[in-house]
Every structure is written in structure tokens, then in C-alpha cells.
Amino acid sequence: MIAVAEKQTHQVPTKLYQRLSSKERSKRIMKWIRFRDKKLRQKFGFLKHQDALGLAITLGSAAGMILFGSLYIAGIIPAWTCIVANGVLASILHEVEHDLIHNLYYKDNLKVQNFMFWTVWIFRGNTVSPWYRRMIHTLHHKVSGHKEDIEERLIGNGMRFGLKRFITMLDGNMSFLFQAHILRREAPKFKRSEITRSSWPYLVIFYHLWYNFLFINLFYIGNELLGKPVEVPAWLDSIRHFLNIAAVVYTIPNWIRQTSIQIVSSNMHYYGDVKGLYDQTQVLNRWFLFPLHLFCFNFGSTHGIHHFVVNQPFYLRQAVAPFVHPAMKRYGIRFNDFGSIFRGNRLGNQDALLA
Ligand SMILES: [Zn+2]
Ligand SMILES: [Zn+2]
């Protein structure tokens, strides 16, 4: 492998981008993104009301979640419709939170901005406080692909392929168990107490609803299969009823949403041999990723664009993507490099780097 790698570096550049430094390639990609962004803003005048748009999307998505929840409780729509609809709406709120972290809405009116932060947190309880996330996400942009990148390492980015990596991507608590002691050593900004504090109250409430839902239903199913050796008290029935409703309306949609974004994000960022902005991300946009992308607003396809230009609201990032992707490809950004999953997200050979 090493011989092959050396051979590749000594090859005569055949493509235009190979004659440019990675800094220059990044600059040119940024130019394409900004060019398209400007054109769209000129064409669609309403885009200049960015603050109001952000607030309307927040209130609309939150109201949508309440509406679908009510329709399910009233017996008008089936559980799966509510789960899918609320998962998609919550994923839009996740994008709004990310935009708020980058100060894209109401930067001069912190009252409204904080109101929006609270709203997006309440409706997607399985995340740390958005104010704490602002710190780790800003850090992510500075140190993406390095040991200090708390946000991505907490969802398994850079770990070897295997069961431990898989569990880390799926479950925030298990990830904390596996990664906290390593991060404490390697990432100076990582403080366990800060994460614990920033989980209160919504993450704590969410996990109570979620794990109780899982355990109670497991108990009921087990009891049923064994021929009901335990007589279930009526009060447990009502608790189960409440938790099952909460699951359809709130916890399952958010679990699916968070898991989708964690799997995609954990694999579309490179780790370990990242030398600069140009190396930080790839583009994941194959059709079979649709079920995951449905619940994370096409993250794998567009988050790379965000690394190059951070001050774009999520809907504009999506809107420029069809125009910008060919340019990214031309300048050598990798597309659908699924092999990175088996290389611990290294750009190059994992064995040389994971030793
Ligand atoms: Zn990123
Ligand atoms: Zn960001």
C-alpha cells in the first residue's frame, strides 16, 4: 500500500486541480458557492428577510409537530405517518439550531434568538443544550479532523470500524462511556461536568421517556411470551400507554433523526490525516442514503459546502448544491468514498495512522 501511495504522489499531474495547491482549490470552491448564493439572493427578494424566515420555519415546524401529534392522538393518522412527519420536521429544527449557532438569525436581538434556541431544543430533546453545542460546534470548524474535535469524536468519527464504533454512532450514552476518558486526555476543552450540566433538563427528560419506553415494552413482551407469570398492575398500564404515545409523537421521531445525522456526519468527515479545510469532508449523495438523508436534511450531500462557506442558512446551502457539486468534483473533493468507513475515516491508509 505504501508503495502505491508513493507512486501516486510522484505521478505527473493530469487534471487541472492537481496543479493547484489545496488552499487554492478551497478558494475556488468558495467562489463558486458565493457566486451561486449571490445569484439566488438577487433573484429571490424574499431571501433578504432571513431573520423572519428563520423564525417562521421554526414556528411552522414546531406547530407541525404538534399538529401531527394531535392527529395521531385523535386517531386520524397512523403511528408511522406521525413518526415520519415529526422526524422530518424535527430535522428541520435541527438545521435551524445549527444556523442559530452560526448567528444567522436575530444576531442583534438575543431575546428572539434565545427564544428560538429554547424552541428548537424542546422539540428535539435528545441533544445537549444548544448554548453548549455552540461552543463544541465552533470548535469543530476550527479543529475538524483532529483529536480536539469533541463534537465529531463523540459520535464515533475517527474510530476503527467495528461494533464499538457502531454503538458509539447510535447511542449518546454509550458513546459517552466509551469516549469520555479518551477525550478528557486528548481534547483540552472537553469537560464531563459541562456536558452533564448542559444535558439538563431536556436531554435528561428525553432519555427517561426513551429508556422507560424501551424497558417497559420489553417487559410486557417478555411477560406475554412467558404466558403472563406477572400480574401487571393497572397503574403500569397507564404509564405504558403514556410512554407509547410520547414515543410516536416525540421520542421515536427524534431518535431516528439523531441516529440518521450521527451515522452520516460520523462518516462524511475525515479524521487523523486532515491537513486543512480542503481535507475535512467528502460528499455523500448516493441514492440509497435517502432514508437517512430524509431525517437529516440531506446532510451528507451539503455539509461539505458548509465547511467552505459557513454563513449560509440551510435552505440556501441546499439550493446551491446542484450547481456547486460539479465544481467540487472538478477540484478533487471526494464523492461517496464509502471506503473511509473501513479506514477509521482516514483519507489515506488507516494502518499507518492508527498504529
Ligand atoms: Zn462538519
Ligand atoms: Zn457549522
Side-chain angles (χ1 to χ4, degrees):
M1 277 312 282
I2 293 167
V4 175
E6 275 175 4
K7 208 171 149 197
Q8 276 171 354
T9 45
H10 290 118
Q11 267 176 359
V12 183
T14 49
K15 296 197 166 123
L16 165 76
Y17 78 82
Q18 289 172 323
R19 278 176 254 143
L20 301 169
S21 69
S22 48
K23 243 190 182 154
E24 185 56 36
R25 294 178 211 170
S26 295
K27 256 196 211 160
R28 295 198 182 188
I29 292 168
M30 285 178 206
K31 247 190 189 164
W32 281 96
I33 300 168
R34 293 211 175 96
F35 170 78
R36 189 61 172 178
D37 183 276
K38 201 171 151 197
K39 282 265 169 235
L40 287 171
R41 284 178 196 269
Q42 279 167 355
K43 194 168 169 197
F44 301 104
F46 69 88
L47 290 172
K48 65 173 178 283
H49 306 290
Q50 194 165 302
D51 287 348
L53 273 174
L55 184 60
I57 293 168
T58 307
L59 297 176
S61 306
M65 285 180 78
I66 294 172
L67 175 72
F68 280 101
S70 311
L71 290 174
Y72 166 70
I73 293 167
I76 298 168
I77 56 167
W80 70 265
T81 311
C82 181
I83 290 171
V84 172
N86 280 7
V88 172
L89 290 165
S91 76
I92 294 172
L93 291 175
H94 188 83
E95 292 302 316
V96 173
E97 183 201 68
H98 177 229
D99 285 355
L100 284 165
I101 281 171
H102 286 290
N103 246 328
L104 296 183
Y105 310 123
Y106 293 97
K107 115 174 141 194
D108 303 317
N109 188 343
L110 290 186
K111 260 191 189 159
V112 182
Q113 195 181 79
N114 285 333
F115 164 75
M116 287 171 74
F117 264 136
W118 279 110
T119 309
V120 296
W121 193 18
I122 291 166
F123 283 83
R124 328 152 12 263
N126 53 344
T127 56
V128 288
S129 130
W131 295 279
Y132 177 72
R133 200 184 151 220
R134 179 177 257 171
M135 187 281 277
I136 56 171
H137 185 72
T138 313
L139 184 69
H140 164 63
H141 280 285
K142 281 194 199 124
V143 295
S144 185
H146 295 273
K147 283 181 175 169
E148 297 81 6
D149 187 356
I150 300 168
E151 189 176 41
E152 286 306 316
R153 293 193 71 195
L154 274 175
I155 55 171
N157 182 236
M159 284 173 80
R160 274 179 191 274
F161 179 73
L163 186 64
K164 201 170 171 186
R165 162 79 186 251
F166 192 67
I167 296 170
T168 305
M169 286 193 301
L170 294 195
D171 189 286
N173 286 315
M174 292 302 285
S175 141
F176 198 72
L177 215 66
F178 292 149
Q179 294 289 80
H181 65 285
I182 303 171
L183 284 169
R184 213 162 44 168
R185 218 174 39 231
E186 297 181 348
K189 293 244 164 100
F190 179 81
K191 301 214 168 51
R192 280 170 88 123
S193 57
E194 266 181 12
I195 291 208
T196 316
R197 217 178 313 131
S198 66
S199 305
W200 183 259
Y202 298 115
L203 188 62
V204 176
I205 295 171
F206 185 93
Y207 276 136
H208 275 88
L209 291 171
W210 179 241
Y211 289 121
N212 280 313
F213 158 73
L214 293 179
F215 288 129
I216 286 190
N217 280 291
L218 216 63
F219 164 72
Y220 267 73
I221 292 166
N223 199 32
E224 194 77 37
L225 288 175
L226 296 171
K228 291 199 177 169
V230 182
E231 179 133 0
V232 180
W235 59 265
L236 198 60
D237 270 339
S238 19
I239 291 181
R240 185 193 184 205
H241 182 65
F242 167 76
L243 288 172
N244 286 358
I245 289 176
V248 173
V249 171
Y250 186 61
T251 49
I252 296 177
N254 268 306
W255 186 84
I256 296 175
R257 175 197 65 72
Q258 188 67 15
T259 306
S260 302
I261 200 164
Q262 286 182 187
I263 293 172
V264 175
S265 184
S266 173
N267 289 302
M268 58 81 54
H269 290 94
Y270 285 110
Y271 181 87
D273 46 358
V274 169
K275 291 193 186 69
L277 175 61
Y278 180 82
D279 294 334
Q280 286 172 356
T281 55
Q282 60 163 314
V283 174
L284 292 177
N285 63 353
R286 291 292 288 272
W287 62 270
F288 53 77
L289 294 171
F290 175 74
L292 295 173
H293 274 154
L294 177 66
F295 295 104
C296 64
F297 209 83
N298 219 11
F299 190 89
S301 172
T302 59
H303 185 68
I305 298 174
H306 172 65
H307 271 244
F308 288 107
V309 172
V310 290
N311 62 350
Q312 260 188 321
F314 69 100
Y315 44 86
L316 267 173
R317 183 160 59 252
Q318 177 55 51
V320 301
F323 182 81
V324 171
H325 278 162
M328 290 170 89
K329 212 173 238 177
R330 221 165 31 246
Y331 290 115
I333 294 292
R334 297 190 196 178
F335 277 60
N336 301 305
D337 171 18
F338 292 104
S340 86
I341 297 170
F342 307 103
R343 300 194 305 266
N345 307 113
R346 270 51 175 191
L347 286 145
N349 185 4
Q350 139 174 289
D351 295 328
L353 293 145
L354 286 179

